[in-house]
Amino acid sequence: MKKEDLFEKLKRNTHVHCDMPDMNMTGIVYDDPLAQFCETVVAVGGKVAMLADGEDVNEAIKRLYPDAKVFASNLSEITIATLNPDTVAEAQDLNGTDVGILRGELGVAENACVWVPQTMKEKAVMFISEELVLLLDRKKLVNNMHEAYTKIAMNDYGYGCFISGPSKTADIEQALVMGAQAARGVTVLLT
């Protein structure tokens, strides 16, 4: 049966026709997007830390992860990085990264998603790191995904992803496992 024949058969046998729904939707709006974002980050299993005025970001990260030995980042202000995802020979060289440090472009209050565009040669750092620190300007929060999608744009790498807390999976028995496929923990460091 050809596709057109199938569509024609469906049309003939459809007895109730419905108008298309109004697609002019607006998402939820919060009185305090920052407070909602912080609450939601914790609800999805992540952590939130605030960078104090004048505090060195490297010292803040070392304080959050005192036992970490291998830090990976290509951000110029991250001087504690022992690996750079731009200069490793291959993605596998990032294996063993204790903390990956990335810059988030925007955060979404309704679901704690942080948009992280690929700004490094080896995007594996987003997923292979045991822990992630997402640096996010607290002024770059939006209420909902409707707003987020109007603000994101692809860069030269053509890749980015929303990260919301640590990796999670649940099997058919609904047993939730954190950190199964990617980072075991995520801290959003608000600047």
Side-chain angles (χ1 to χ4, degrees):
M1 177 179 275
K2 292 193 299 189
K3 178 173 64 171
E4 292 77 19
D5 295 338
L6 177 65
F7 288 146
E8 187 56 41
K9 190 173 186 179
L10 285 170
K11 226 188 268 184
R12 277 195 316 270
N13 290 301
T14 300
H15 303 291
V16 177
H17 295 277
C18 300
D19 293 331
M20 288 292 291
D22 177 16
M23 298 304 285
N24 294 321
M25 295 181 278
T26 56
I28 190 165
V29 176
Y30 298 98
D31 292 332
D32 187 349
L34 176 60
Q36 180 63 43
F37 178 80
C38 293
E39 181 182 319
T40 309
V41 167
V42 172
V44 299
K47 298 178 211 150
V48 178
M50 301 270 191
L51 192 64
D53 287 340
E55 184 179 15
D56 178 65
V57 68
N58 296 284
E59 292 301 317
I61 294 168
K62 288 291 273 180
R63 180 176 34 81
L64 292 167
Y65 297 98
D67 297 328
K69 305 250 184 299
V70 181
F71 296 88
S73 184
N74 69 342
L75 301 176
S76 60
E77 68 269 30
I78 303 302
T79 58
I80 59 173
T82 54
L83 287 174
N84 184 329
D86 286 337
T87 61
V88 294
E90 54 188 30
Q92 290 82 352
D93 295 338
L94 294 164
N95 195 16
T97 298
D98 295 316
V99 180
I101 305 159
L102 310 167
R103 183 175 322 286
E105 196 170 278
L106 67 91
V108 184
E110 77 175 327
N111 57 13
C113 281
V114 176
W115 174 250
V116 182
Q118 181 180 354
T119 58
M120 71 290 299
K121 181 184 94 177
E122 295 297 345
K123 67 182 174 222
V125 71
M126 296 178 178
F127 311 107
I128 202 169
S129 302
E130 290 293 317
E131 301 279 338
L132 281 180
V133 172
L134 303 177
L135 303 180
L136 181 64
D137 183 337
R138 64 186 90 186
K139 295 179 189 127
K140 292 189 175 182
L141 293 174
V142 296
N143 290 290
N144 55 64
M145 292 299 284
H146 299 281
E147 292 176 21
Y149 277 113
T150 66
K151 294 186 180 296
I152 64 174
M154 287 297 170
N155 58 22
D156 292 340
Y157 283 106
Y159 180 84
C161 65
F162 282 105
I163 298 175
S164 181
S167 144
K168 302 166 210 56
T169 190
D171 62 16
I172 197 161
E173 295 172 354
Q174 298 180 354
L176 180 63
V177 177
M178 303 285 259
Q181 293 101 0
R184 293 177 188 219
V186 173
T187 300
V188 179
L189 183 55
L190 294 168
T191 60

